[in-house]
Each structure stands twice: as structure tokens, then as C-alpha cells.
């Protein structure tokens, strides 16, 4: 069906567009922006007056919990959450059960996702078998089955020689290694940022040096191998300074931050709120402010939702015993807009870029843009609409987030995937 989205403010950072224009979609692809293609006849028209028409959002970290953790969430529920959040492409870490270390498992996941005809799913393969940090996986075969990169998820490699070999292998074939910078020993078992607050609350701490020591190691290995690395969910000012220096040196490194880390600090643990138990932990106000500034100056390439649905049985526990994680797919847009409004001077196009074009560039995906000929993945949202974060309003099976009760701006009105209207908010 030919689709016309008219009268909307088209924000397409990849192509430098920010203007009221009509968007024409034919056979699942963008056929025209502003000017109608020849002989175009709309089968359906969406009036986007007063709304923003942006590329479908690209999320660099979304756990879908399949296979193995269906009691926490299912592919069906989390894909619906993605649609409700305007996310049309998502990258999922390999820490499923079984781990994504075999081509057959990756193919099964991609097949299940395709059948739902919603968001495009791009798995990360395990860097080592079973994420145990011992034997390398067959990265070439995993790439052929659909993996876009390789990760250890939350399991750091203790043997640096194994990481060296992994990066040599990745460099040889042009693969990207996705790493979360955390030392294998310092801070192990910690549940909160190592600082005065954790001391007062009697919580075991994760010091900033757990991140910075790992970063020093990663950058030395990058210098030795030339491998391309994406750093997942940086959390500290000191870590960002190291990344800033590495980029200035010319190392092929990119990084992202979790959307909740842009706004919250360790003080938001409050009275041991388990919804504020996340990995990496919320850090100090200085770290939070450095993340905000890093997003503004480009040190941080992208914002991810770090979507990690957790069920009640594992979350409604004492803080130190609760499972880390928060639902985030439906909050990604609003939290990015909040950063723009609160800190970035209302630069709406920059916020959109950090969750679409920039994220797609990091992941090497042909997504996050609305150029003529590109796949018509579109997010239509109302930047002024305000909504209250409530568990019952979330499509995700995971209802836990530290933002419960917050009023946020930015509400998705329609999500289009490859020209197909996959989600529409009934209220409009």
C-alpha cells in the first residue's frame, strides 16, 4: 500500500532535514520527501499536523529474553513494546539461555522476529563459547547467520590473552567487538556506586576504577590489534575522559550510554528502591553531568534503552538481592527528549539523531534515516504530549523502571516498519 504522511515536521538528521514536509512511501521504501514521486496515489494518508516524523528509532541494547527467559518477557510482548516506543531496529545482547554462540540459535531468533513483522532484530553473537571467557566462538559463521557484532554481555573476560585473540580475529574479518568496560575482579558482587551513599546504606560498591581499568586494557589491545570496538553503557566521568582521549588519538572506538543514566544518580536509590538497581550502577551527580555533556559534544555516540525486563519475583526483593535491570524500550524517546529539553537547549534534532542515525552508524545498520530509497521505518510522535510512566501502561512484560510515576514528554503516535503501519495510538 502506498502511504502518505502529510503536514509533519520531518526530522532526518542523517540527511540534514528539519522542515515541514510530506513523506511518500511506496513498496516499503521512501519514495519522496517534500515532492511526490511520479504517478503517486496514496492508498492511505496519515495527517501528522503538529507531529514530528522521524526515522524509526534504533536501540543498541534491548534484551528480548528469548530464548530461555520467557517468564521475564516474550518476543511478542517486547516487540509490541518496541512498536509502542517507536523503535524499529534493535540490537539484542547474546546473554540468552542458551547463549547466542551457535548459528542455529541466531537463525531461530531472527526467524521468530521476522514472523512477527514488527521491529528488525539484530543479534550480537557471543564473543566466547557460553560467555565463559575461554574458547572463541566461530565469529564468521555467526555473522553469516545474522550477527552484527560480538559481545560478552555482562561477563568480563578474565584472561586478557583471550580478549587479545578475540580482537585479532575480529580485526582480520572486519567485525566489531561490543564490550562493557568492567574489570573482572574489582567491584565484583557490588550493587551500587562505591561512594558515601553506598557506605551509609551498607551496600557493596562498584568503584569507577572498575570501568577505567578495563578501558585502559581495551585501548591497549586496540592499539596492538587495530580492532574496532563499541563500548556499551559507559557510566563515569573518568571513563568518558579516557574515551575522549582515545577518539582524539584516532582509535576506532564508539560508545553509548543508557537512557536512565542521563538523568539519575546514586541518590535515586532513595530508601533502597529495587527499581533503581541497574548495571552499571547509577553514579554520582558529577558522572551524570559528564554523560550529559558527552552526549552534547559527541564523545558519546548514542543513547540506548538498556531494556532489561525483570519479573516481580526477581525485582521485589531487598535492594542487594534484586535482579538488576529496568524496562526501557517505551521510555527511550521520552528520556532522550528530556535530555534535550533539560540540558541541550531544546535541540530536538540532536536528540533524535542520538537514538536513530547515530545509533545506526555505530551498529553498521542501513537504518535511522529517511532518504529516498531507504527502507520506510518511521516514528511519528508528538513532542509536546505528556504521559505518566505507569506499569499498567507499558506493553513490555517487564513493568519495573526507576521512572515509575514520572511525567515525561514525547508520545509515539504511529510506528511504521518497512512501509507497514505496525502501531497506531488510538487516542489520536
Amino acid at each position: 500500500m502506498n502511504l502518505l504522511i502529510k503536514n509533519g515536521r520531518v526530522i532526518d538528521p542523517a540527511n540534514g532535514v528539519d522542515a515541514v514536509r510530506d513523506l511518500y512511501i511506496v513498496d516499503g521504501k521512501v519514495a519522496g520527501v517534500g515532492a511526490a514521486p511520479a504517478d503517486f496515489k496514496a492508498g492511505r494518508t496519515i495527517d501528522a499536523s503538529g507531529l514530528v516524523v522521524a526515522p524509526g528509532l534504533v536501540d543498541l541494547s534491548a534484551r528480548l529474553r528469548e530464548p530461555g527467559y520467557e517468564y521475564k518477557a516474550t518476543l511478542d510482548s517486547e516487540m509490541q513494546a518496541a512498536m509502542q516506543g517507536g523503535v524499529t531496529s534493535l540490537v539484542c545482547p547474546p546473554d540468552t539461555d542458551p547463549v547466542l554462540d551457535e548459528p542455529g540459535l541466531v537463525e531461530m531468533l531472527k526467524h521468530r522476529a521476522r514472523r512477527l513483522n514488527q521491529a528488525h532484530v539484530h543479534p550480537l553473537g557471543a564473543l566466547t563459547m557460553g560467555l565463559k571467557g575461554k574458547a572463541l566462538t566461530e565469529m564468521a559463521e555467526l555473522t553469516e547467520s545474522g550477527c552484527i557484532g560480538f559481545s560478552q554481555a555482562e561477563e568480563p573476560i578474565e584472561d586478557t590473552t583471550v580478549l587479545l585473540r578475540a580482537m585479532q580475529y575480529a580485526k582480520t574479518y572486519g567485525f566489531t567487538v561490543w564490550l562493557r568496560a568492567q574489570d573482572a575482579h574489582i567491584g565484583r558482587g557490588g550493587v551500587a556506586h562505591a561512594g558515601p551513599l553506598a557506605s551509609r546504606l551498607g551496600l557493596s560498591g562498584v568503584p569507577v576504577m572498575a570501568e577505567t581499568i578495563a578501558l585502559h586494557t581495551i585501548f591497549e589491545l586496540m592499539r596492538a590489534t587495530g580492532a574496532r570496538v563499541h563500548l556499551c553503557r559507559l557510566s563515569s566521568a573518568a571513563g568518558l575522559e579516557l574515551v575522549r582521549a582515545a577518539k582524539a588519538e584516532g582509535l576506532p572506538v564508539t560508545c553509548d550510554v543508557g537512557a536512565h543514566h542521563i538523568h539519575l544518580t546514586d541518590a535515586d536509590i532513595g530508601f533502597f528502591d529495587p527499581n533503581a538497581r541497574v548495571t552499571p550502577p547509577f553514579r554520582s551527580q558529577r558522572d551524570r553531568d559528564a554523560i550529559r555533556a558527552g552526549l552534547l559534544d559527541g564523545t558519546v555516540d548514542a543513547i540506548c534503552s538498556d531494556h532489561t525486563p525483570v519479573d516481580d519475583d526477581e525485582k521485589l526483593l531487598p535492594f542487594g538481592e534484586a535482579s538488576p535491570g529496568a524496562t526501557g524500550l517505551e521510555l527511550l524517546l521520552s528520556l532522550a527528549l528530556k535530555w534535550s529539553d533539560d540540558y541541550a537547549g531544546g535541540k530536538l534534532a540532536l536528540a533524535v539523531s542520538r537514538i536513530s542515525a547515530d545509533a545506526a552508524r555505530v551498529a553498521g545498520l542501513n537504518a535511522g534515516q529517511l532518504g529516498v530509497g531507504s527502507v520506510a521505518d518511521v516514528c511519528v510522535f508528538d513532542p509536546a504530549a505528556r504521559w505518566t510512566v505507569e506499569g499498567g501502561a507499558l506493553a513490555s512484560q517487564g513493568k519495573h523502571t526507576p521512572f515509575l510515576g514520572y511525567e515525561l514528554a514525547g508520545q509515539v503516535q504511529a510506528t511504521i516498519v518497512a512501509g507497514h503501519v505496525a502501531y497506531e495510538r488510538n487516542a489520536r
Side-chain angles (χ1 to χ4, degrees):
M1 179 193 297
N2 291 353
L3 181 62
L4 168 61
I5 305 175
K6 67 177 186 178
N7 303 327
R9 176 185 172 187
V10 176
I11 296 181
D12 179 13
N15 293 294
V17 176
D18 185 354
V20 175
R21 294 185 181 173
D22 295 343
L23 188 72
Y24 301 87
I25 296 171
V26 177
D27 294 332
K29 294 194 174 180
V30 176
V33 182
D39 302 322
F40 179 85
K41 188 173 183 180
R44 171 151 186 216
T45 300
I46 295 177
D47 184 2
S49 298
L51 305 179
V52 171
V53 179
L57 309 187
V58 179
D59 191 350
L60 295 179
S61 182
R63 288 175 170 82
L64 305 178
R65 294 309 199 188
E66 284 196 31
Y69 298 107
E70 288 83 358
Y71 64 94
K72 296 183 182 182
T74 65
L75 205 55
D76 294 41
S77 66
E78 304 321 290
M79 292 292 247
Q80 186 56 43
M83 293 298 93
Q84 199 157 299
V87 178
T88 57
S89 297
L90 43 85
V91 178
C92 53
D95 51 351
T96 50
D97 184 17
V99 167
L100 296 180
D101 58 7
E102 295 283 350
L105 294 169
V106 176
E107 290 165 359
M108 178 188 71
L109 176 61
K110 286 186 70 72
H111 175 69
R112 283 266 293 122
R114 274 195 301 270
R115 285 184 58 190
L116 293 174
N117 196 28
Q118 292 179 318
H120 310 289
V121 172
H122 303 282
L124 293 174
L127 196 60
T128 60
M129 296 300 296
L131 298 176
K132 293 178 180 176
K134 306 289 185 186
L136 301 185
T137 56
E138 293 290 347
M139 295 186 212
E141 291 183 8
L142 286 167
T143 299
E144 289 174 6
S145 67
C147 290
I148 64 164
F150 298 90
S151 166
Q152 278 293 108
E154 299 302 315
E155 302 297 328
I157 294 176
E158 293 191 37
D159 187 342
T160 310
T161 304
V162 174
L163 184 54
L164 172 64
R165 298 284 179 258
M167 291 171 72
Q168 288 172 331
Y169 186 158
K171 169 60 178 176
T172 300
Y173 290 95
F175 303 146
T176 300
V177 179
W178 296 50
L179 298 173
R180 192 170 81 72
Q182 58 174 342
D183 186 82
H185 303 286
I186 294 175
R188 175 182 280 178
V191 299
H193 168 61
L197 187 88
S199 297
R200 284 200 303 273
L201 296 178
L203 297 173
S204 54
V206 181
V208 166
M209 74 173 83
E211 183 166 283
T212 55
I213 288 173
L215 286 172
H216 280 293
T217 301
I218 290 166
F219 292 147
E220 281 299 316
L221 295 178
M222 289 179 70
R223 293 181 186 106
T225 63
R228 188 169 63 246
V229 171
H230 175 67
L231 299 167
C232 307
R233 288 167 292 133
L234 285 178
S235 67
S236 70
L240 286 174
E241 275 303 312
L242 292 175
V243 172
R244 190 173 284 115
K247 287 188 169 188
E249 182 185 332
L251 294 182
V253 62
T254 53
C255 70
D256 66 53
V257 294
H260 36 262
H261 278 82
I262 305 169
H263 302 291
L264 302 181
T265 69
D266 56 348
D268 290 290
I269 291 172
F271 294 102
F272 303 97
D273 179 8
N275 286 328
R277 172 86 201 278
V278 295
T279 303
F282 294 132
R283 298 204 179 274
S284 69
Q285 183 174 325
R286 176 175 173 269
D287 295 310
R288 190 271 314 275
D289 291 348
I291 287 172
R292 289 174 165 179
L295 275 166
L296 195 57
D297 68 21
T299 301
V300 178
D301 295 270
I303 303 169
C304 72
S305 74
D306 192 19
H307 179 70
T308 308
V310 179
D311 68 335
D312 288 351
D313 289 345
E314 294 186 5
K315 201 61 167 173
L316 300 180
L317 294 168
F319 187 90
E321 299 172 25
S323 291
T327 189
L329 279 169
E330 293 153 271
L331 300 173
L332 178 60
L333 174 65
S334 292
L335 294 179
L337 297 184
K338 182 174 172 59
W339 165 74
S340 169
D341 291 340
D342 293 353
Y343 190 87
K347 294 179 180 176
L348 183 57
L350 183 60
V352 169
S353 188
R354 293 287 186 262
I355 53 177
S356 60
D358 295 330
R361 171 180 53 80
V362 162
L365 301 176
N366 183 20
Q369 58 135 333
L370 296 175
V372 173
S374 62
V375 176
D377 294 337
V378 187
C379 171
V380 181
F381 68 90
D382 185 344
R386 304 192 71 82
W387 63 289
T388 301
V389 182
E390 297 173 334
L394 299 174
S396 170
Q397 196 167 312
K399 307 298 183 184
H400 298 282
T401 164
F403 292 97
L404 286 175
Y406 277 60
E407 185 181 72
L408 300 174
Q411 194 168 54
V412 174
Q413 302 298 324
T415 303
I416 292 118
V417 180
H420 158 67
V421 181
Y423 169 77
E424 251 187 311
R425 186 169 294 280
N426 295 328
R428 186 173 175 83

